[in-house]
Amino acid sequence: SRHQQIRIVLVEGRQIGSNLTSPLTFTDIVKQYDLLDCVKGKYSSFAFHNYNGSRIEFFFNGYPLALLDYRKACIKMYSRIENSVNRVVFINDYARSIMQAKDRIRIGMENTRTIEAKVLVDCSGVHGYEEELDSSSNTYYSLPYGGTYSGVNSIKQDTAYFMWPNEEFGLGGGWFYPLEDGKASFGYAAISKSPYVNPGEMEGRLDRAMHKFEPYSSLLANAKREHTEKGIIPIAYRKSLVARNILFAGDAAGMATNWTCMGIEPAIKYGKIAGDLAAQAAWQNDCDILNHYQRIWDVDNKSVYDGVQLLSDKFWNGNHYFWEWI
């Protein structure tokens, strides 16, 4: 938006910030983007809890972890941009087709409208421009499923609880995040090689965890679910983050951290870099500029993400003995 001649078009089929999630992220990124008023909970410690074994807690000075009100944060960030420039257009429609020409991208909308652009930044989550992440045969998806509950019995408010993967509840692990006013976010994640979810199976796993995993089952004994939280998180990054004049960011690029599946910080950090480079490329009419994006990511992350990717079969298929060892 700093480039005076650049026009920005945001295409979103639903509403801004409509994902059904309450993501955990780091307080420094929340402060950096002035989103402290969008925080639902903040935590000075976190605990790992193995249903079949131990529990261990880590304490910090201050509050390094925060639970974000995703919708509120997205609306605030969008409003900040919209109010600062008059060159932002929001199109509330679905992009159904993308065609690349030499120096243009043609985007077909569901309502038969067509948009042309010099550069596209794909932030469409798991439903990216290409259906499959072009990473490797052991691509996995984390399928978190849970909810925000009211009427939760008293618990330490500033500890975020992580439950180890469990064959009965979900191999993606679980979470319990205390919120204000007697509320909490609770759920478990399945791990799959497919992004498609069986809601009945997910509900059954969540119900078993709520009734069997103490102390959470007691804490939620009289609680009422206010709304469901669910999502699809690729746990393998896209090897090619640039496709001619298209850049991929966030879950469309599989940027969530391989193990804890925390995606807000990389989405914001590399989304900003993608935006900067997209504006430069459009302004200078030179899409070779976009290749810097890949180089920046590779320097920052490639060795770590590749290393975890090699162990992904072990991570996501390990039993509780494996997690206890970790």
Side-chain angles (χ1 to χ4, degrees), residues 64-114:
L65 294 170
L67 194 69
L68 204 59
D69 184 326
Y70 185 85
R71 178 173 171 79
K72 186 176 180 180
C74 288
I75 290 172
K76 181 175 182 178
M77 294 182 79
Y78 174 71
S79 298
R80 191 183 301 155
I81 299 167
E82 186 181 41
N83 293 336
S84 64
V85 294
N86 58 6
R87 300 178 310 282
V88 179
V89 178
F90 175 56
I91 296 179
N92 190 195
D93 197 1
Y94 289 94
R96 293 306 189 196
S97 65
I98 296 174
M99 295 181 61
Q100 286 181 294
K102 184 176 180 181
D103 60 349
R104 280 283 189 277
I105 299 169
R106 183 170 294 168
I107 306 161
M109 301 290 109
E110 192 171 65
N111 67 0
T112 70
R113 178 179 181 176
T114 299

Side-chain angles (χ1 to χ4, degrees), residues 1 3 6 119 274-284 290:
S1 64
H3 292 256
I6 297 296
V119 181
D276 288 341
L277 292 172
Q280 290 179 41
W283 171 239
Q284 298 180 32
L290 302 178

